[in-house]
Amino acid sequence: MTHEQYDLVIIGAGPGGSRAALDAAAAGMRTALVEKADAGGTCLNWGCIPTKFLLGGTAAVPLLQIQKKYKAAGGDVHLSLAALHQRKDRFIKGTRQNLVKQLTQAGVNFITGAASFAGPRTVVVEKEDGSSLLEFENLILAAGSEPASFPGLIPDGNCVLHSSHILQLETPPQSLIIVGGGAIGLEMGDLFARFGTQITIVEALPHLVPAEDGDIADALTKALKREGWTVHTGRRVRSLVTDEEGALLTFEDGTAIRADKALMAAGRSPATAALHPEKAGIMTDGRGWISTDNFLQAAENIYAVGDVNGRTLLAHAAEHQARYVVSRLRGLTAAEYPAPVMPSCVYGHMEVMRTGATAKELTAQGISVSVSRAPLASNAIAQSCGATQGFVKAVWAAGNGTPELRGIAATGHGVSHLVGLATVMVQQRWRRENIHDIIYAHPTLDEALEAALSAPLENA
Amino acid sequence: MTHEQYDLVIIGAGPGGSRAALDAAAAGMRTALVEKADAGGTCLNWGCIPTKFLLGGTAAVPLLQIQKKYKAAGGDVHLSLAALHQRKDRFIKGTRQNLVKQLTQAGVNFITGAASFAGPRTVVVEKEDGSSLLEFENLILAAGSEPASFPGLIPDGNCVLHSSHILQLETPPQSLIIVGGGAIGLEMGDLFARFGTQITIVEALPHLVPAEDGDIADALTKALKREGWTVHTGRRVRSLVTDEEGALLTFEDGTAIRADKALMAAGRSPATAALHPEKAGIMTDGRGWISTDNFLQAAENIYAVGDVNGRTLLAHAAEHQARYVVSRLRGLTAAEYPAPVMPSCVYGHMEVMRTGATAKELTAQGISVSVSRAPLASNAIAQSCGATQGFVKAVWAAGNGTPELRGIAATGHGVSHLVGLATVMVQQRWRRENIHDIIYAHPTLDEALEAALSAPLENA
């Protein structure tokens, strides 16, 4: 076993770990980045990027279907999932190689192997060609997460799939059951609907996109049903198995549905068990998520960023936390990790966008909330492509003086394009009198945001 | 002739005039709005909105062509220009009717007729059923502009068209010559290219999008040529006529090209001649644009907003000026009209976006400028749909301390979606240290903006 010494060891080369490694190496720290699978992590290899490639490569299909309804387009388009995969895989491979090159050029020691703690200041890495003992001054745990599994609903790779399986399907199924009404389930459903797959989506909580306000979920659900989806909400699943005919889902009430394939997209679990965090004095909660304090610290000299700390399971959250931790290790900040205004998007034809708080989150904090909203049907750009379902909603908190903006949410075609502007507005807590501090180009979807902010205030 | 008295008379019901009328009526002014043609003006009826409808309704086509190249899509799509027109016309009619209803409900007297000045405080309106003399306390001239015409290049509605003609074509031409490399020409070219029309574009100035920096124009031109366009820049046109074979364009050097149809899209002229502005003491420049002072004032008690004052020929500029003038008339502001950070977009598959100043504009003012840029090819969303040509460019001015952001420009697919975020950044003159004041959602096109702002500074 070789012995190596580092200023900083990072476990996990996803968006958080890679960002931390680049920042630390640029600051002159002797840095090792340990990855057991592929550089880029879930986001690049099995998550955000492959799904966006498949959605981006088929984006024409729903637009065309709208125009067919208006008799403005005709003809038939057939798609090749295999060719889409090829291009996606080529891009991902290239990006992964570039990332490793960038890390190496920055001076990071990139180690492929499985890490586990041997003590409070040491990590053992099992590599193909032997093992290494890494001693560290500081460590950042950025090990990420993996699809959650539930008893009775274990993906078998045959007809019951998890998100990595389904990203490799070469032929679209005729019918697909999706368990989980969050981003992964919705994006996959949208993708396969473009191939003509009959979609059934099942969510145990009362509505799809459970983290969002009910009115956003209602508008989304209505649009999906119009597109032919079957939506089951507030129904728990007892079992999901492969049998001789395909995938068989049985609800807790005993009724059953079936489809050619089923996707388990209900939740994620931390990838921490094999790390033996307890050997370094790291605390986890019952499900294995790493406990961190207000400085993202998990133990003396050990930090946890990204999915693994369970705070926000989003690539850009991991990156932001990584920047903070390195800046803290460099002595550039002593402040607690600031809770930033966090944007998130569900992509596809009907999208969901949110930045900042929901009305229900603020209300739960005892804050007096009002909302204002505008339908996409009043927006010329939404009208121009005939994608007019959905709305933009602004959430205002009563404060000193006029109400201040605390959140923006939207559902509809293209609303992910609003997320940047919306994030600045919420981050800066704009008030109604700020709305025309900028000029909104005409015609843009931004004007739906302007309209939502300008609309009369209603009770939340 | 009837006599009527108003606190405010507005001439022209485009975006500027309509905004002014709504704001003034809401503030309790007795307001008349006179429109000789259709409520909504050029923007709604013959400009931004119809073009966006035709582009929006055919947006699937270029996306599909990209996937065909990758063998990820096959099949054939045929488009119906007639059906697209139907939907567009229905939307425009509905919007126009809503606007008139909104104006009337707000208490505005909406008068259809041709206005002209009878003196410094009086306007005569010729209506279908007679004429009226309107006396006013204040007047806002928002009469707009119309396609410019040049000797030897007069649109005849046969094979030589102006932009209103071409928006009514029921059958796409096999080939189209476009004179003018600005927004109208580019958008129309993009539209007809989707129908298989062979596009030739001619610009007298050295590059397409003459108001933009040369590198933006170069990237755009390269992309259009790759799509099969013929581009002539720096070439002046001697004549453009309909002959027995179609449209014949002769350059000043005597060489000639021909096509089935030709579009004159070179510039606009103010719609002022029939108004007799001189009778109210209003000054115009040689071409008829209304001269205004720093308060947008054209004469005592007379203001001019929108295209007619020749400042910025954009709907949202007109609206912004209208808000300012009404707020001034209400005594809410005494300040000069602020020169706001102005966004503009050219729409289509390859788009152009700019907000704030170009490098050459700042350099001409003696300001020391640096730029930073990022290619769309590095952005995951651009990659996802295979539309990777183009880049985002940030323009920085040396100032006190670190450079401050003064402009952002971009060309490429979807860059109009960046305009809102970019406008806030430039309006607030972000510095490099502000870039991570917000979290950029991953993956979004916004990250190309983040990358451009973060890239090394270069000399302009």
Side-chain angles (χ1 to χ4, degrees):
Chain A
M1 189 182 291
T2 62
H3 263 67
E4 300 169 28
Q5 292 191 320
Y6 293 97
D7 297 327
L8 179 65
V9 167
I10 300 161
I11 300 177
S18 299
R19 178 79 267 154
L22 290 169
D23 284 8
M29 295 184 208
R30 242 173 343 145
T31 305
L33 176 59
V34 186
E35 170 58 53
K36 68 173 192 230
D38 289 319
T42 298
C43 174
L44 175 62
N45 297 287
W46 317 286
C48 339
I49 300 302
T51 50
K52 260 46 27 124
F53 255 73
L54 297 173
L55 288 169
T58 54
V61 175
L63 291 173
L64 209 55
Q65 276 162 350
I66 292 171
Q67 298 305 319
K68 280 187 178 181
K69 281 189 208 153
Y70 294 125
K71 314 275 184 222
D76 273 308
V77 170
H78 47 88
L79 300 170
S80 162
L81 194 49
L84 286 165
H85 280 311
Q86 264 180 30
R87 198 174 152 259
K88 167 196 73 143
D89 293 342
R90 204 162 51 234
F91 175 78
I92 291 172
K93 189 178 169 192
T95 306
R96 207 158 54 208
Q97 288 171 339
N98 277 343
L99 175 59
V100 174
K101 195 170 147 193
Q102 199 188 352
L103 287 161
T104 309
Q105 284 176 347
V108 175
N109 189 15
F110 184 78
I111 304 172
T112 303
S116 63
F117 287 98
R121 291 288 181 112
T122 47
V123 155
V124 175
V125 182
E126 302 294 343
K127 302 177 295 183
E128 251 185 17
D129 60 350
S131 54
S132 300
L133 191 77
L134 316 186
E135 284 179 42
F136 56 84
E137 281 299 313
N138 288 288
L139 182 137
I140 297 177
L141 193 50
S145 65
E146 52 203 18
S149 62
F150 301 88
L153 299 87
I154 310 290
D156 56 19
N158 185 356
C159 294
V160 180
L161 312 176
H162 57 51
S163 53
S164 315
H165 293 137
I166 204 168
L167 281 170
Q168 289 160 5
L169 271 191
E170 293 274 324
T171 317
Q174 295 266 321
S175 54
L176 177 66
I177 292 169
I178 297 166
V179 178
I184 298 169
L186 289 166
E187 294 182 4
M188 285 298 160
D190 190 358
L191 172 66
F192 283 101
R194 296 175 188 185
F195 286 85
T197 301
Q198 182 60 45
I199 307 294
T200 301
I201 192 163
V202 178
E203 169 59 50
L205 291 168
H207 60 68
L208 297 181
V209 285
E212 305 308 322
D213 281 338
D215 49 359
I216 292 284
D218 287 348
L220 173 67
T221 304
K222 204 171 139 192
L224 296 177
K225 284 182 174 173
R226 263 177 76 160
E227 287 172 24
W229 292 36
T230 304
V231 180
H232 296 282
T233 50
R235 296 191 71 181
R236 302 188 70 86
V237 176
R238 184 195 296 162
S239 72
L240 177 58
V241 293
T242 297
D243 68 6
E244 55 286 349
E245 291 173 55
L248 175 69
L249 180 147
T250 309
F251 289 107
E252 286 209 334
D253 63 12
T255 58
I257 54 174
R258 50 167 65 254
D260 288 350
K261 301 280 181 190
L263 169 67
M264 272 299 297
R268 312 228 359 129
S269 296
T272 48
L275 296 171
H276 296 295
E278 70 286 355
K279 292 199 185 164
I282 298 169
M283 307 288 284
T284 56
D285 76 359
R287 295 182 52 206
W289 301 103
I290 304 291
S291 306
T292 48
D293 67 10
N294 293 343
F295 303 94
L296 303 180
Q297 204 156 355
E300 210 192 328
N301 301 328
I302 298 179
Y303 295 80
V305 305
D307 288 10
V308 84
N309 68 25
R311 288 171 180 245
T312 311
L313 276 64
L314 290 168
H316 46 272
E319 234 188 288
H320 190 264
Q321 293 171 9
R323 284 184 201 276
Y324 163 82
V325 170
V326 175
S327 136
R328 186 168 165 76
L329 293 176
R330 294 176 61 199
L332 301 179
T333 179
E336 290 185 359
Y337 178 65
V341 168
M342 186 61 66
S344 69
C345 299
V346 180
Y347 298 86
H349 179 66
M350 273 297 286
E351 299 189 319
V352 180
M353 177 282 285
R354 204 232 303 180
T355 191
T358 62
K360 65 184 173 187
E361 282 169 1
L362 293 179
T363 305
Q365 290 168 37
I367 295 171
S368 169
V369 176
S370 50
V371 300
S372 56
R373 74 184 80 209
L376 292 190
S378 305
N379 180 271
I381 287 293
Q383 284 282 358
S384 78
C385 58
T388 54
Q389 294 193 72
F391 64 95
V392 181
K393 176 181 180 180
V395 178
W396 307 86
N400 297 325
T402 54
E404 61 179 25
L405 190 60
R406 297 293 291 279
I408 296 174
T411 185
H413 180 66
V415 297
S416 69
H417 298 305
L418 299 177
V419 74
L421 176 58
T423 300
V424 177
M425 290 169 158
V426 176
Q427 180 79 49
Q428 299 181 345
R429 298 200 177 183
W430 283 26
R431 292 166 183 265
R432 307 270 284 188
E433 55 269 32
N434 296 123
I435 299 170
H436 291 109
D437 284 358
I438 60 161
I439 295 189
Y440 300 83
H442 178 71
T444 53
L445 204 59
D446 297 342
E447 292 173 304
L449 193 47
E450 177 195 13
L453 264 58
S454 308
L457 293 176
E458 313 160 29
N459 292 327
Chain B
M1 188 182 292
T2 62
H3 263 68
E4 300 169 27
Q5 291 192 322
Y6 293 97
D7 297 327
L8 179 65
V9 167
I10 300 161
I11 300 177
S18 300
R19 179 79 267 154
L22 290 169
D23 284 7
M29 295 185 207
R30 244 176 338 150
T31 304
L33 175 59
V34 186
E35 170 58 51
K36 68 172 192 233
D38 288 319
T42 297
C43 174
L44 174 62
N45 297 287
W46 317 286
C48 339
I49 300 303
T51 50
K52 260 45 37 116
F53 255 73
L54 296 173
L55 288 169
T58 54
V61 176
L63 291 173
L64 210 55
Q65 277 161 351
I66 292 171
Q67 298 305 320
K68 280 186 176 180
K69 281 188 207 153
Y70 294 125
K71 315 275 184 219
D76 274 308
V77 170
H78 47 89
L79 300 170
S80 163
L81 193 49
L84 286 164
H85 280 311
Q86 264 180 31
R87 196 173 154 261
K88 166 194 72 134
D89 293 342
R90 203 161 52 233
F91 174 78
I92 290 172
K93 189 177 170 194
T95 306
R96 206 158 55 207
Q97 288 171 340
N98 277 342
L99 176 59
V100 174
K101 195 170 147 193
Q102 198 187 354
L103 288 161
T104 309
Q105 284 176 346
V108 174
N109 189 14
F110 184 78
I111 304 172
T112 302
S116 63
F117 287 99
R121 291 288 182 111
T122 47
V123 155
V124 175
V125 182
E126 302 294 343
K127 301 176 296 182
E128 250 185 18
D129 59 352
S131 54
S132 300
L133 190 77
L134 315 187
E135 284 179 43
F136 57 82
E137 281 299 313
N138 288 288
L139 182 136
I140 297 177
L141 194 51
S145 65
E146 52 202 18
S149 63
F150 301 89
L153 297 88
I154 310 291
D156 56 20
N158 185 355
C159 293
V160 179
L161 311 176
H162 57 51
S163 52
S164 315
H165 293 136
I166 204 167
L167 280 170
Q168 288 161 5
L169 270 191
E170 292 275 325
T171 317
Q174 295 267 321
S175 54
L176 177 66
I177 292 170
I178 297 166
V179 178
I184 299 169
L186 289 165
E187 293 182 4
M188 285 297 162
D190 191 357
L191 172 67
F192 284 100
R194 296 175 187 185
F195 286 86
T197 301
Q198 181 61 45
I199 307 294
T200 301
I201 192 163
V202 178
E203 169 57 51
L205 291 167
H207 59 68
L208 297 181
V209 284
E212 306 307 323
D213 281 337
D215 49 0
I216 293 283
D218 287 348
L220 173 68
T221 304
K222 205 171 140 193
L224 296 177
K225 284 182 174 173
R226 263 177 78 161
E227 288 173 24
W229 292 35
T230 303
V231 180
H232 296 282
T233 50
R235 297 191 71 181
R236 301 187 71 86
V237 177
R238 184 195 295 160
S239 73
L240 177 58
V241 293
T242 297
D243 68 7
E244 56 285 348
E245 290 174 55
L248 174 70
L249 179 147
T250 309
F251 289 108
E252 286 210 334
D253 63 12
T255 58
I257 53 175
R258 52 167 63 256
D260 288 350
K261 300 280 181 190
L263 169 67
M264 272 299 296
R268 312 232 353 134
S269 295
T272 48
L275 296 171
H276 296 295
E278 69 285 355
K279 292 200 186 164
I282 298 169
M283 307 288 284
T284 56
D285 76 358
R287 295 182 53 205
W289 301 103
I290 304 292
S291 306
T292 48
D293 66 10
N294 292 344
F295 303 93
L296 303 181
Q297 204 156 355
E300 210 192 328
N301 301 328
I302 298 179
Y303 294 79
V305 304
D307 288 11
V308 84
N309 68 25
R311 288 171 181 244
T312 311
L313 277 64
L314 290 169
H316 44 273
E319 234 188 288
H320 190 263
Q321 292 171 9
R323 285 183 200 277
Y324 163 82
V325 170
V326 175
S327 136
R328 187 168 163 77
L329 292 176
R330 295 175 61 197
L332 302 179
T333 179
E336 291 184 359
Y337 178 65
V341 167
M342 185 61 66
S344 68
C345 299
V346 180
Y347 297 86
H349 179 66
M350 274 297 285
E351 299 190 319
V352 179
M353 178 281 284
R354 203 233 301 182
T355 192
T358 62
K360 65 184 173 187
E361 283 169 2
L362 293 179
T363 305
Q365 291 167 37
I367 295 170
S368 170
V369 176
S370 50
V371 299
S372 56
R373 74 183 81 209
L376 292 190
S378 305
N379 180 271
I381 287 292
Q383 283 282 358
S384 78
C385 58
T388 54
Q389 294 193 71
F391 63 96
V392 181
K393 176 181 180 180
V395 178
W396 306 85
N400 298 325
T402 54
E404 61 179 25
L405 190 60
R406 297 293 292 278
I408 295 174
T411 186
H413 180 65
V415 297
S416 68
H417 298 305
L418 299 177
V419 74
L421 176 57
T423 300
V424 176
M425 290 169 159
V426 175
Q427 180 78 49
Q428 299 181 345
R429 298 202 176 181
W430 283 27
R431 292 166 184 266
R432 308 269 283 187
E433 56 269 32
N434 297 123
I435 300 170
H436 292 108
D437 284 358
I438 60 161
I439 295 189
Y440 300 82
H442 178 70
T444 53
L445 205 58
D446 297 341
E447 292 173 303
L449 193 46
E450 177 195 14
L453 264 57
S454 308
L457 294 177
E458 313 160 29
N459 292 327

